[in-house]
Amino acid sequence: MSSTDILHKDVHLEHDDHHDDHHDQSFLEKYIFSQDHKVIAKQFLFAGIFWAIIGGLLSSLFRMQLGFPEATFTFMEPLLGKWVDGGKLNPEFYLALVTMHGTIMVFFVLTAGLSGTFSNFLIPLQIGARDMASGFMNMLSFWFFFVASVIMFYSLFLETGPAGGGWTVYPPLSALPQAIAGSGTGMTMWLISMALFIVSQLLGGVNYITTVINMRTRGLSMTKLPLTIWAFFLTAVLGLLAFPVLLSAALLLIFDRSFGTSFFLSDIYVAGEALTNTGGSPVLFQHLFWFLGHPEVYIVILPTFGIVSEVIATNARKPIFGYRAMIGSMLGISLLSFIVWAHHMFVSGMNPFLGSVFMFLTLIIAVPSAVKVFNWLATLWRGNINFTPAMLFSVAFVSLFISGGVTGIILGNSALDIQLHDTYFVVAHFHLVMGSAAFFGMFAGVYHWFPKMFGRMIDEKLGYVHFWITFVGVYLIFMPMHYIGIAGFPRRYYSWTGFETFNKFMDMNTFITVAAIIAFAAQFIFLFNFFYSIFRGRRATENPWKSNTLEWTTPVNPGHGNWPGPLPVVYRWPYDYSKPGAPQDFIPQNVPYSQTQSSNLPHERDTE
């Protein structure tokens, strides 16, 4: 027996000895300040849903301005106060809406809501562990995120408005409190909130990595891990390496704002008055921000790679195609994501030779991405497909990843990016390949693991309605944006009616706005279905999807400790679907080879 197997056996026995030692817990201990990874996952999920509603509402408000620039919306005045004048949004508040929408969706929904939910929920269940390595640290991770959320939410109601420097908070707008209304207290609260948010992500990341490395059950080698666990593990590694850089940028920005330093400021004039700041560079902030900002794209999308791989293999009733290639492509994407950040800065005055280096590296990252797409399509090919809502969202994820990724190749070319950088082409690309695709992966995960989370089945008919309106809506929103972007339509403009060149796109903007509002309204179908099914949904069976991974070997409503008896022992990889000679079309990971008729087939072990 290897030393690794002995370590896993010791961990296995240690946790078996103590899994029944949990004392009776009060309501606060069990549901509020819980150290159970499953409860913490639900806390992240509910917080993410709340923030998704807020982020969607904010985008609907500024889309109303863009789609109907000459209309007056008097109903907004009681809701938004002085930020609406005569039924029209204040231009500074428009910038704040865009800033907060981007911040909320990227960080509070697609980072914390997605990784916080599924990494917490699935890592212990799919590796055969009782809980996370540190339940207390796990609890702290959520509560740091909760405090960050409270501060960010409170900033929405400040008299001077929330942060208004764009979600990338570039200096000098973010570094000078007197620059605009959104540069004042709102920006300070944004920076404090993000610092706490980063602490939350670092605590969670350390826990996820430690748990995967040290707490796998007996027999579960790294090459038998589900692709979900590989995705969550690599996501945590990315976050642990990249988020501290953004934290340093936020702290230096606070120093510039409050303590008279000049890290990002130099030769600045405000209302004709020269400030004393010299020697700083706003481009330095861009480097620090995008060193996190580009890995952040994969911190958001990598978990959905794992979720979609699991859902597609389960519902196609086929082994995942190219398991090791899938792992290798995620490793390649993770490595390359750290050395392409400056492709966001082609218009910052970068040396053309350096720009060509980053362009080359950016185009290379398309290779492992294409490997994943090919493997998903190959897994679907000739599969016995069950079109559950989770499967529909997963297939749509692949579609969005392809269509959004193709435009990424265009923007990765520095000569083209210089022309398209400040247009709606970038908005369309970003929202398709990361924003919408990640949301579809998140929806796939919620629909697929809802029975394990809540012990009930979510209504599939409502799930189909939700999917089709959302899927069609997303393409109707973002495909036209590519067209107007190529035509030069600028992003971040509050009003474009003063430009004769852009007036011809009024109908297109109105169309996009209507599609966006309908797609956002469709999410309330999901909300109703989600909360209604928690209490009134049909009771789930132990393994409703006939999946192979270990979480489906627990009781329908697993307690704190997950398995009431000994931990399961793993004998095989997680994708033994439709194996010739087997008595059924799935073989769970904890079934020994001796119990299947195909145990002596020559390819049995080779596939692992």
Side-chain angles (χ1 to χ4, degrees), residues 293-307:
H294 198 78
E296 170 66 14
V297 172
Y298 294 100
I299 289 170
V300 166
I301 206 74
L302 266 175
T304 61
F305 287 169
I307 290 169

Side-chain angles (χ1 to χ4, degrees), residues 105-172:
M105 291 303 197
V106 172
F107 295 112
F108 287 73
V109 180
L110 295 177
T111 300
L114 181 55
S115 285
T117 298
F118 292 104
S119 295
N120 265 303
F121 190 77
L122 292 177
I123 286 177
L125 286 171
Q126 289 195 336
I127 69 171
R130 296 290 181 199
D131 207 324
M132 285 291 180
S134 172
F136 180 72
M137 185 183 292
N138 206 18
M139 179 190 71
L140 282 182
S141 173
F142 172 74
W143 283 102
F144 269 103
F145 170 61
F146 181 81
V147 175
S149 296
V150 170
I151 294 172
M152 191 67 76
F153 185 68
Y154 179 76
S155 74
L156 292 171
F157 301 95
L158 291 173
E159 184 178 357
T160 54
W167 78 275
T168 56
V169 294
Y170 283 172

Side-chain angles (χ1 to χ4, degrees), residues 5-178:
D5 290 336
I6 294 172
L7 172 62
H8 288 160
K9 183 177 180 181
D10 291 343
V11 173
H12 171 89
L13 294 175
E14 178 185 346
H15 283 270
D16 275 351
D17 291 342
H18 299 286
H19 77 273
D20 286 327
D21 292 345
H22 300 292
H23 63 279
D24 291 335
Q25 295 177 310
S26 66
F27 179 84
L28 285 176
E29 289 179 307
K30 189 172 183 180
Y31 296 108
I32 308 300
F33 298 103
S34 175
Q35 296 187 32
D36 183 350
H37 71 99
K38 298 181 294 297
V39 176
I40 295 171
K42 293 174 187 176
Q43 290 174 326
F44 272 108
L45 177 59
F46 292 138
I49 289 173
F50 168 80
W51 275 120
I53 295 170
I54 298 298
L57 284 172
L58 298 182
S59 67
S60 297
L61 287 174
F62 66 71
R63 276 305 329 173
M64 295 285 282
Q65 166 63 34
L66 290 169
F68 306 96
E70 301 298 331
T72 55
F73 302 100
T74 53
F75 70 89
M76 291 185 183
E77 292 185 8
L79 298 174
L80 302 176
K82 72 171 190 175
W83 296 114
V84 176
D85 184 14
K88 290 184 176 294
L89 285 179
N90 182 300
E92 288 190 353
F93 187 61
Y94 172 85
L95 182 57
L97 289 175
V98 174
T99 301
M100 297 303 290
H101 166 74
T103 301
I104 288 168
M105 291 303 197
V106 172
F107 295 112
F108 287 73
V109 180
L110 295 177
T111 300
L114 181 55
S115 285
T117 298
F118 292 104
S119 295
N120 265 303
F121 190 77
L122 292 177
I123 286 177
L125 286 171
Q126 289 195 336
I127 69 171
R130 296 290 181 199
D131 207 324
M132 285 291 180
S134 172
F136 180 72
M137 185 183 292
N138 206 18
M139 179 190 71
L140 282 182
S141 173
F142 172 74
W143 283 102
F144 269 103
F145 170 61
F146 181 81
V147 175
S149 296
V150 170
I151 294 172
M152 191 67 76
F153 185 68
Y154 179 76
S155 74
L156 292 171
F157 301 95
L158 291 173
E159 184 178 357
T160 54
W167 78 275
T168 56
V169 294
Y170 283 172
L173 277 183
S174 58
L176 297 172
Q178 69 271 38

Side-chain angles (χ1 to χ4, degrees), residues 113-415:
L114 181 55
S115 285
T117 298
F118 292 104
S119 295
N120 265 303
F121 190 77
L122 292 177
I123 286 177
L125 286 171
Q126 289 195 336
I127 69 171
R130 296 290 181 199
D131 207 324
M132 285 291 180
S134 172
F136 180 72
M137 185 183 292
N138 206 18
M139 179 190 71
L140 282 182
S141 173
F142 172 74
W143 283 102
F144 269 103
F145 170 61
F146 181 81
V147 175
S149 296
V150 170
I151 294 172
M152 191 67 76
F153 185 68
Y154 179 76
S155 74
L156 292 171
F157 301 95
L158 291 173
E159 184 178 357
T160 54
W167 78 275
T168 56
V169 294
Y170 283 172
L173 277 183
S174 58
L176 297 172
Q178 69 271 38
I180 59 173
S183 300
T185 308
M187 182 60 69
T188 301
M189 296 186 74
W190 190 98
L191 293 168
I192 295 171
S193 174
M194 285 304 301
L196 294 171
F197 172 87
I198 292 168
V199 172
S200 163
Q201 295 305 298
L202 296 178
L203 288 171
V206 169
N207 225 355
Y208 305 151
I209 293 168
T210 305
T211 303
V212 171
I213 291 176
N214 293 322
M215 298 185 67
R216 302 189 308 278
T217 192
R218 188 167 40 165
L220 186 58
S221 64
M222 293 295 283
T223 54
K224 292 179 181 176
L225 286 176
L227 291 173
T228 42
I229 302 302
W230 271 105
F232 301 150
F233 176 75
L234 293 173
T235 300
V237 172
L238 288 182
L240 208 60
L241 296 175
F243 268 118
V245 179
L246 181 62
L247 180 61
S248 68
L251 293 176
L252 295 178
L253 198 52
I254 290 174
F255 288 154
D256 275 9
R257 289 173 56 83
S258 304
F259 301 108
T261 58
S262 298
F263 293 105
F264 308 127
L265 295 172
S266 183
D267 304 320
I268 298 291
Y269 290 79
V270 176
E273 178 186 352
L275 303 186
T276 58
N277 305 88
T278 56
S281 171
V283 176
L284 170 61
F285 180 88
Q286 291 188 38
H287 280 291
L288 294 175
F289 182 90
W290 287 115
F291 189 84
L292 167 277
H294 198 78
E296 170 66 14
V297 172
Y298 294 100
I299 289 170
V300 166
I301 206 74
L302 266 175
T304 61
F305 287 169
I307 290 169
V308 166
S309 299
E310 181 71 24
V311 172
I312 285 178
T314 300
N315 287 283
R317 312 311 296 168
K318 284 181 62 181
I320 195 77
F321 185 89
Y323 172 79
R324 292 180 186 271
M326 294 288 261
I327 295 172
S329 65
M330 285 193 287
L331 286 167
I333 287 170
S334 300
L335 175 63
L336 288 168
S337 71
F338 277 101
I339 52 177
V340 298
W341 79 89
H343 68 212
H344 296 272
M345 301 169 57
F346 286 145
V347 297
S348 66
M350 179 186 299
N351 182 292
F353 174 75
L354 189 59
S356 68
V357 172
F358 279 99
M359 180 184 74
F360 176 70
L361 294 170
T362 299
L363 297 179
I364 285 178
I365 209 169
V367 176
S369 299
V371 169
K372 300 195 71 63
V373 169
F374 175 80
N375 288 3
W376 285 322
L377 296 178
T379 304
L380 290 168
W381 177 249
R382 303 185 72 177
N384 185 20
I385 299 175
N386 298 322
F387 284 108
T388 64
M391 185 61 162
L392 288 174
F393 275 104
S394 296
V395 174
F397 169 92
V398 178
S399 168
L400 291 166
F401 191 69
I402 293 170
S403 55
V406 167
T407 57
I409 295 174
I410 295 171
L411 290 173
N413 186 309
S414 58

